Amino acid sequence: MGWKYFKKLLKAIRFTDTRIVLDVGKEDAYEAAMLYGKVQAGLFNTIAILAGVFTVKLKKADVNCIFDEKKFGYDVHTLVRVRPSTLIAIGFCTGVNFLKIYLSGRRKKKRAAKRRSKELAANKNEVKATN
């Protein structure tokens, strides 16, 4: 129940019919072009990261550069499709991983407490034997 299976389950979540249109602009042409390049790189890197985790199907992804006008606008539409069985499986895997971590921590605490109590009992016995 590691990351590999969790990632497979996340791939079952689908973003379809995704349309992204960004309008960016500055009053200076150089600054507008630089902003356009930064936004373009950021948008497609973000889409690549999301596509690595989820299933993403793009219909349109555009960045429009507007000169002589200070503007930042966006229009984003997408459909998210998930099967109920996928949500149940993700919840189950997350629950199992949580229990695995929680129970192992609890066992370690119990073992440490037993060791401490045995050490205290041994110390008391030594003190009694020396008196």
Side-chain angles (χ1 to χ4, degrees), residues 48-84:
I49 290 169
L50 285 176
V53 177
F54 303 105
T55 301
V56 178
K57 297 203 178 184
L58 286 174
K59 249 189 178 177
K60 181 180 186 179
D62 288 331
V63 179
N64 299 323
C65 186
I66 300 170
F67 298 102
D68 297 331
E69 184 179 335
K70 188 173 184 178
K71 183 177 181 179
F72 185 84
Y74 60 91
D75 186 25
V76 179
H77 296 283
T78 189
L79 289 174
V80 180
R81 295 182 180 191
V82 182
R83 292 183 188 152

Side-chain angles (χ1 to χ4, degrees), residues 2-11 90 93-94 97:
W3 172 250
K4 177 181 174 182
Y5 298 109
F6 188 68
K7 188 176 175 185
K8 282 185 181 182
L9 288 172
L10 287 179
K11 277 294 216 183
I90 289 172
C93 288
T94 305
N97 283 334

Side-chain angles (χ1 to χ4, degrees), residues 1-130:
M1 297 284 177
W3 172 250
K4 177 181 174 182
Y5 298 109
F6 188 68
K7 188 176 175 185
K8 282 185 181 182
L9 288 172
L10 287 179
K11 277 294 216 183
I13 298 173
R14 297 179 198 98
F15 291 94
T16 59
D17 298 331
T18 303
R19 284 173 265 143
I20 303 170
V21 178
L22 298 174
D23 297 323
V24 296
K26 292 270 187 167
E27 292 177 0
D28 182 35
Y30 172 77
E31 290 177 5
M34 292 300 291
L35 179 63
Y36 168 78
K38 290 175 186 176
V39 170
Q40 179 94 2
L43 172 67
F44 288 103
N45 284 334
T46 303
I47 290 171
I49 290 169
L50 285 176
V53 177
F54 303 105
T55 301
V56 178
K57 297 203 178 184
L58 286 174
K59 249 189 178 177
K60 181 180 186 179
D62 288 331
V63 179
N64 299 323
C65 186
I66 300 170
F67 298 102
D68 297 331
E69 184 179 335
K70 188 173 184 178
K71 183 177 181 179
F72 185 84
Y74 60 91
D75 186 25
V76 179
H77 296 283
T78 189
L79 289 174
V80 180
R81 295 182 180 191
V82 182
R83 292 183 188 152
S85 61
T86 302
L87 289 177
I88 292 169
I90 289 172
F92 179 75
C93 288
T94 305
V96 167
N97 283 334
F98 171 76
L99 286 175
K100 207 189 293 186
I101 293 167
Y102 175 74
L103 292 176
S104 69
R106 193 169 161 190
R107 277 191 213 124
K108 287 179 184 177
K109 285 181 184 178
K110 280 185 179 181
R111 288 178 187 160
K114 274 187 177 180
R115 277 190 226 125
R116 279 191 227 117
S117 65
K118 284 182 182 180
E119 289 173 1
L120 289 175
N123 288 341
K124 284 182 183 179
N125 288 338
E126 286 178 15
V127 169
K128 286 181 184 177
T130 56

